Amino acid sequence: MNFNIIDLDVWDRKPYFEYYLTTLKCTYSITCNIDITGLLSEIKKKDIKFYPTFIYVITKAVNSNKEFRMNFDDKDNLGYWDEMNPCYTIFHDDDKTFSNIWSKYSKDFNVFYNYVLKDMDEYKDVKGLSVKEPFPKNVFPISCTPWVTFTGFNLNVYNDGKYLLPVITLGKYFNENGKILLPLALQIHHAVADGYHSAKFINEIQDFVSNYKEWLNL
């Protein structure tokens, strides 16, 4: 997958990028509720699993926004991937641990859904932090805490302040005023994405979920 290097000298975002990367190192998180009422009803009728379905939704939105595909390459060049694959957690109920696996992305929901089901089944009993090796470089993390509904979630990444990729966390969905709502938390570096970009990303997720009939083709 191609990594496109950004020429900082002509990049219109350069002053913002440098400020939030070096002067005021800054990441931020946004937590919101996604209305999944129609989507959840439909996948239950079709006997489709929710977690793989929503992994597709998130990955579709990530791949629609260049700001959420930015990273550094091995030579510390800033750039963005043409396409990202999701890295997500699977839970081992016997010892209450989890493992990270990844699946190849496809724009076709049917193809992607079956990729995820195959990977989940293959690695469901494999213990360890990262069990599907090798991990490609163009992956971003998704996690889920289906045991609790949260109104805020903040993930603190202690490194050199250069982790640019989005981190998405899902909570336990709940019923409110006749709607089924899913807590979704986004963590992102301010150097690559402002409030506008995050709002656009979240709104696209909601729009995509609301228009499930256009892509839910199983």
Side-chain angles (χ1 to χ4, degrees):
M1 183 52 60
N2 190 44
F3 185 77
N4 305 280
I5 295 176
I6 294 174
D7 184 350
L8 289 175
D9 291 333
V10 298
W11 191 32
D12 56 3
R13 190 177 172 79
K14 179 181 178 180
Y16 305 92
F17 173 78
E18 292 182 338
Y19 179 74
Y20 288 118
L21 188 74
T22 59
T23 305
L24 180 64
K25 295 182 179 181
C26 179
T27 67
Y28 64 92
S29 59
I30 296 178
T31 302
C32 62
N33 292 324
I34 303 297
D35 184 352
I36 60 170
T37 309
L39 175 63
L40 188 62
S41 175
E42 187 67 17
I43 66 174
K44 286 183 176 179
K45 291 177 185 176
K46 294 177 178 286
D47 196 27
I48 300 173
K49 295 182 181 297
F50 177 76
Y51 190 33
T53 300
F54 217 83
I55 291 173
Y56 173 76
V57 170
I58 294 169
T59 309
K60 176 78 171 179
V62 165
N63 282 314
S64 297
N65 291 273
K66 183 174 67 176
E67 294 80 13
F68 293 83
R69 291 181 273 121
M70 289 191 178
N71 208 349
F72 295 100
D73 66 8
D74 294 337
K75 297 181 180 180
D76 212 32
N77 295 306
L78 176 69
Y80 60 94
W81 294 100
D82 282 344
E83 190 172 86
M84 299 290 287
N85 300 303
C87 164
Y88 52 93
T89 55
I90 54 174
F91 187 69
H92 306 296
D93 193 57
D94 55 349
D95 62 0
K96 313 306 179 190
T97 62
F98 71 90
S99 296
N100 291 314
I101 63 174
W102 65 276
S103 293
K104 178 177 173 56
Y105 175 63
S106 171
K107 295 179 181 178
D108 186 296
F109 171 69
N110 191 10
V111 173
F112 178 77
Y113 180 81
N114 284 292
Y115 282 159
V116 175
L117 289 188
K118 180 178 180 295
D119 288 330
M120 285 183 167
D121 183 66
E122 182 175 351
Y123 294 97
K124 63 183 178 182
D125 297 320
V126 182
K127 303 296 177 64
L129 183 59
S130 300
V131 295
K132 183 185 176 184
E133 299 286 357
F135 269 68
K137 295 179 180 179
N138 58 325
V139 296
F140 72 96
I142 300 172
S143 62
C144 183
T145 60
W147 313 277
V148 63
T149 293
F150 53 73
T151 55
F153 187 96
N154 188 51
L155 180 70
N156 300 301
V157 179
Y158 292 99
N159 60 1
D160 57 0
K162 296 176 67 174
Y163 188 84
L164 303 181
L165 295 173
V167 181
I168 293 94
T169 306
L170 306 176
K172 179 181 179 181
Y173 55 75
F174 62 99
N175 191 310
E176 182 176 273
N177 298 324
K179 295 182 179 181
I180 307 299
L181 303 178
L182 175 73
L184 181 149
L186 164 68
Q187 190 90 13
I188 188 69
H189 204 300
H190 208 338
V192 295
D194 303 325
Y196 167 80
H197 305 104
S198 294
K200 179 176 179 289
F201 173 77
I202 291 169
N203 289 334
E204 286 181 3
I205 288 178
Q206 182 61 75
D207 289 343
F208 197 56
V209 168
S210 298
N211 295 295
Y212 63 87
K213 292 181 180 179
E214 296 178 359
W215 54 269
L216 194 64
N217 54 4
L218 281 181

